[in-house]
mmCIF file of all heavy atoms in Angstrom:
data_model
loop_
_atom_site.group_PDB
_atom_site.id
_atom_site.type_symbol
_atom_site.label_atom_id
_atom_site.label_comp_id
_atom_site.label_asym_id
_atom_site.label_seq_id
_atom_site.Cartn_x
_atom_site.Cartn_y
_atom_site.Cartn_z
ATOM 1 N N PHE A 51 -32.848 5.626 12.345
ATOM 2 C CA PHE A 51 -33.684 4.434 12.284
ATOM 3 C C PHE A 51 -34.105 4.013 13.675
ATOM 4 O O PHE A 51 -35.270 3.666 13.992
ATOM 5 C CB PHE A 51 -33.081 3.367 11.488
ATOM 6 C CG PHE A 51 -33.930 2.116 11.424
ATOM 7 C CD1 PHE A 51 -35.131 2.077 10.735
ATOM 8 C CD2 PHE A 51 -33.451 0.956 12.000
ATOM 9 C CE1 PHE A 51 -35.913 0.956 10.683
ATOM 10 C CE2 PHE A 51 -34.253 -0.253 11.935
ATOM 11 C CZ PHE A 51 -35.463 -0.230 11.249
ATOM 12 N N SER A 54 -36.845 5.931 15.393
ATOM 13 C CA SER A 54 -38.153 5.625 14.945
ATOM 14 C C SER A 54 -38.780 4.373 15.663
ATOM 15 O O SER A 54 -40.025 4.148 15.561
ATOM 16 C CB SER A 54 -38.156 5.373 13.403
ATOM 17 O OG SER A 54 -37.466 4.216 13.089
ATOM 18 N N PRO A 57 -41.194 4.301 19.967
ATOM 19 C CA PRO A 57 -42.559 3.974 20.409
ATOM 20 C C PRO A 57 -42.852 2.493 20.543
ATOM 21 O O PRO A 57 -43.818 2.183 21.246
ATOM 22 C CB PRO A 57 -43.421 4.552 19.209
ATOM 23 C CG PRO A 57 -42.521 5.615 18.575
ATOM 24 C CD PRO A 57 -41.118 5.011 18.701
ATOM 25 N N SER A 88 -3.462 -10.224 27.875
ATOM 26 C CA SER A 88 -2.958 -10.108 29.270
ATOM 27 C C SER A 88 -4.073 -9.588 30.151
ATOM 28 O O SER A 88 -5.005 -8.883 29.737
ATOM 29 C CB SER A 88 -1.751 -9.121 29.237
ATOM 30 O OG SER A 88 -2.194 -7.829 28.949
ATOM 31 N N LYS A 93 -8.263 -5.468 31.459
ATOM 32 C CA LYS A 93 -8.871 -4.451 32.323
ATOM 33 C C LYS A 93 -9.075 -3.192 31.480
ATOM 34 O O LYS A 93 -10.145 -2.490 31.630
ATOM 35 C CB LYS A 93 -7.930 -4.080 33.458
ATOM 36 C CG LYS A 93 -7.823 -5.184 34.499
ATOM 37 C CD LYS A 93 -6.887 -4.780 35.639
ATOM 38 C CE LYS A 93 -6.704 -5.834 36.686
ATOM 39 N NZ LYS A 93 -5.757 -5.487 37.731
ATOM 40 N N LYS A 94 -8.198 -2.835 30.582
ATOM 41 C CA LYS A 94 -8.400 -1.687 29.734
ATOM 42 C C LYS A 94 -9.526 -1.848 28.799
ATOM 43 O O LYS A 94 -10.300 -0.884 28.586
ATOM 44 C CB LYS A 94 -7.073 -1.363 28.948
ATOM 45 C CG LYS A 94 -5.857 -1.032 29.822
ATOM 46 C CD LYS A 94 -4.642 -0.830 28.959
ATOM 47 C CE LYS A 94 -3.389 -0.467 29.815
ATOM 48 N NZ LYS A 94 -2.185 -0.307 28.971
ATOM 49 N N ILE A 141 -3.302 26.878 14.105
ATOM 50 C CA ILE A 141 -4.356 26.650 13.062
ATOM 51 C C ILE A 141 -5.423 25.743 13.505
ATOM 52 O O ILE A 141 -6.588 25.896 13.094
ATOM 53 C CB ILE A 141 -3.675 26.222 11.799
ATOM 54 C CG1 ILE A 141 -4.664 26.201 10.584
ATOM 55 C CG2 ILE A 141 -3.028 24.842 11.963
ATOM 56 C CD1 ILE A 141 -5.230 27.532 10.259
ATOM 57 N N HIS A 142 -5.087 24.815 14.446
ATOM 58 C CA HIS A 142 -6.113 23.803 14.812
ATOM 59 C C HIS A 142 -7.175 24.558 15.697
ATOM 60 O O HIS A 142 -8.348 24.148 15.689
ATOM 61 C CB HIS A 142 -5.437 22.717 15.604
ATOM 62 C CG HIS A 142 -4.666 21.766 14.774
ATOM 63 N ND1 HIS A 142 -3.286 21.607 14.885
ATOM 64 C CD2 HIS A 142 -5.047 21.003 13.781
ATOM 65 C CE1 HIS A 142 -2.912 20.744 14.028
ATOM 66 N NE2 HIS A 142 -3.945 20.366 13.237
ATOM 67 N N ALA A 154 -23.089 26.069 17.004
ATOM 68 C CA ALA A 154 -23.964 27.132 17.587
ATOM 69 C C ALA A 154 -25.188 27.355 16.690
ATOM 70 O O ALA A 154 -26.229 27.681 17.152
ATOM 71 C CB ALA A 154 -23.153 28.365 17.766
ATOM 72 N N LEU A 156 -26.700 25.295 15.048
ATOM 73 C CA LEU A 156 -27.724 24.209 15.192
ATOM 74 C C LEU A 156 -28.588 24.355 16.428
ATOM 75 O O LEU A 156 -29.515 23.619 16.658
ATOM 76 C CB LEU A 156 -26.993 22.819 15.273
ATOM 77 C CG LEU A 156 -26.220 22.439 14.001
ATOM 78 C CD1 LEU A 156 -25.444 21.123 14.275
ATOM 79 C CD2 LEU A 156 -27.191 22.205 12.837
ATOM 80 N N LEU A 157 -28.192 25.250 17.315
ATOM 81 C CA LEU A 157 -28.906 25.395 18.589
ATOM 82 C C LEU A 157 -30.132 26.214 18.349
ATOM 83 O O LEU A 157 -30.150 27.187 17.567
ATOM 84 C CB LEU A 157 -28.057 26.077 19.654
ATOM 85 C CG LEU A 157 -26.773 25.331 20.027
ATOM 86 C CD1 LEU A 157 -25.950 26.112 21.023
ATOM 87 C CD2 LEU A 157 -27.155 23.959 20.646
ATOM 88 N N ASP A 160 -33.714 30.905 18.780
ATOM 89 C CA ASP A 160 -34.843 31.747 18.555
ATOM 90 C C ASP A 160 -35.701 31.819 19.858
ATOM 91 O O ASP A 160 -35.866 30.802 20.530
ATOM 92 C CB ASP A 160 -35.742 31.154 17.448
ATOM 93 C CG ASP A 160 -36.889 32.083 17.031
ATOM 94 O OD1 ASP A 160 -37.722 32.330 17.880
ATOM 95 O OD2 ASP A 160 -36.834 32.520 15.947
ATOM 96 N N GLY A 170 -33.339 15.432 29.340
ATOM 97 C CA GLY A 170 -32.745 15.083 28.081
ATOM 98 C C GLY A 170 -31.404 15.747 27.914
ATOM 99 O O GLY A 170 -30.428 15.105 27.420
ATOM 100 N N PHE A 183 -14.211 9.976 27.055
ATOM 101 C CA PHE A 183 -13.497 8.855 27.664
ATOM 102 C C PHE A 183 -13.335 7.690 26.644
ATOM 103 O O PHE A 183 -12.304 7.009 26.643
ATOM 104 C CB PHE A 183 -14.216 8.333 28.876
ATOM 105 C CG PHE A 183 -13.959 9.089 30.108
ATOM 106 C CD1 PHE A 183 -14.992 9.792 30.819
ATOM 107 C CD2 PHE A 183 -12.644 9.144 30.702
ATOM 108 C CE1 PHE A 183 -14.694 10.485 31.944
ATOM 109 C CE2 PHE A 183 -12.383 9.882 31.800
ATOM 110 C CZ PHE A 183 -13.411 10.527 32.466
ATOM 111 N N LEU A 194 -3.842 -3.143 20.423
ATOM 112 C CA LEU A 194 -4.476 -4.531 20.321
ATOM 113 C C LEU A 194 -5.212 -4.622 18.996
ATOM 114 O O LEU A 194 -5.422 -3.625 18.282
ATOM 115 C CB LEU A 194 -5.481 -4.778 21.423
ATOM 116 C CG LEU A 194 -4.942 -4.672 22.845
ATOM 117 C CD1 LEU A 194 -6.064 -4.738 23.865
ATOM 118 C CD2 LEU A 194 -3.903 -5.762 23.100
ATOM 119 N N GLY A 197 -10.584 -5.507 15.690
ATOM 120 C CA GLY A 197 -11.815 -6.238 15.748
ATOM 121 C C GLY A 197 -12.064 -6.988 17.006
ATOM 122 O O GLY A 197 -13.168 -6.984 17.567
ATOM 123 N N ARG A 198 -11.012 -7.661 17.512
ATOM 124 C CA ARG A 198 -11.232 -8.415 18.767
ATOM 125 C C ARG A 198 -11.414 -7.457 19.960
ATOM 126 O O ARG A 198 -12.145 -7.786 20.898
ATOM 127 C CB ARG A 198 -9.986 -9.292 19.002
ATOM 128 C CG ARG A 198 -9.850 -10.401 17.960
ATOM 129 C CD ARG A 198 -8.783 -11.452 18.408
ATOM 130 N NE ARG A 198 -7.448 -10.960 18.339
ATOM 131 C CZ ARG A 198 -6.649 -11.050 17.293
ATOM 132 N NH1 ARG A 198 -7.119 -11.614 16.173
ATOM 133 N NH2 ARG A 198 -5.387 -10.609 17.302
ATOM 134 N N GLY A 203 -15.072 -5.299 24.026
ATOM 135 C CA GLY A 203 -15.625 -4.103 24.613
ATOM 136 C C GLY A 203 -17.103 -4.041 24.462
ATOM 137 O O GLY A 203 -17.826 -3.692 25.435
ATOM 138 N N GLU A 247 -14.210 2.730 13.571
ATOM 139 C CA GLU A 247 -13.615 3.704 14.412
ATOM 140 C C GLU A 247 -12.324 3.190 14.981
ATOM 141 O O GLU A 247 -11.320 3.911 15.233
ATOM 142 C CB GLU A 247 -14.568 4.165 15.522
ATOM 143 C CG GLU A 247 -15.548 5.223 15.020
ATOM 144 C CD GLU A 247 -16.237 5.906 16.169
ATOM 145 O OE1 GLU A 247 -15.742 5.794 17.329
ATOM 146 O OE2 GLU A 247 -17.169 6.660 15.962
ATOM 147 N N GLN A 252 -6.348 4.108 15.261
ATOM 148 C CA GLN A 252 -4.969 3.692 15.225
ATOM 149 C C GLN A 252 -4.146 4.471 14.213
ATOM 150 O O GLN A 252 -2.916 4.345 14.190
ATOM 151 C CB GLN A 252 -4.911 2.157 14.823
ATOM 152 C CG GLN A 252 -5.499 1.303 15.899
ATOM 153 C CD GLN A 252 -5.381 -0.159 15.634
ATOM 154 O OE1 GLN A 252 -4.343 -0.651 15.261
ATOM 155 N NE2 GLN A 252 -6.478 -0.894 15.698
ATOM 156 N N LYS A 256 -5.169 12.516 17.922
ATOM 157 C CA LYS A 256 -6.383 12.872 18.755
ATOM 158 C C LYS A 256 -7.056 14.163 18.317
ATOM 159 O O LYS A 256 -8.248 14.251 18.200
ATOM 160 C CB LYS A 256 -5.960 13.024 20.205
ATOM 161 C CG LYS A 256 -5.846 11.733 20.953
ATOM 162 C CD LYS A 256 -5.701 12.026 22.445
ATOM 163 C CE LYS A 256 -5.408 10.717 23.239
ATOM 164 N NZ LYS A 256 -4.112 10.220 23.020
ATOM 165 N N ALA A 268 -23.773 17.229 10.970
ATOM 166 C CA ALA A 268 -24.199 17.505 9.605
ATOM 167 C C ALA A 268 -24.761 16.254 8.935
ATOM 168 O O ALA A 268 -25.843 16.236 8.374
ATOM 169 C CB ALA A 268 -23.066 18.059 8.802
ATOM 170 N N GLN A 281 -36.900 18.619 8.042
ATOM 171 C CA GLN A 281 -36.519 19.648 7.083
ATOM 172 C C GLN A 281 -35.368 20.559 7.565
ATOM 173 O O GLN A 281 -35.312 20.872 8.797
ATOM 174 C CB GLN A 281 -37.742 20.480 6.678
ATOM 175 C CG GLN A 281 -38.874 19.735 6.087
ATOM 176 C CD GLN A 281 -38.509 19.106 4.719
ATOM 177 O OE1 GLN A 281 -37.891 19.761 3.914
ATOM 178 N NE2 GLN A 281 -38.924 17.895 4.510
ATOM 179 N N VAL A 283 -33.366 24.261 7.563
ATOM 180 C CA VAL A 283 -33.472 25.656 7.295
ATOM 181 C C VAL A 283 -32.146 26.195 6.912
ATOM 182 O O VAL A 283 -31.109 25.506 6.952
ATOM 183 C CB VAL A 283 -34.035 26.421 8.511
ATOM 184 C CG1 VAL A 283 -35.440 25.938 8.870
ATOM 185 C CG2 VAL A 283 -33.080 26.286 9.724
#
Side-chain angles (χ1 to χ4, degrees):
F51 178 65
S54 70
S88 69
K93 290 179 182 179
K94 294 177 182 178
I141 188 63
H142 289 116
L156 294 174
L157 299 177
D160 189 293
F183 278 117
L194 301 174
R198 293 193 290 269
E247 279 196 12
Q252 295 183 49
K256 280 190 183 73
Q281 299 295 320
V283 297

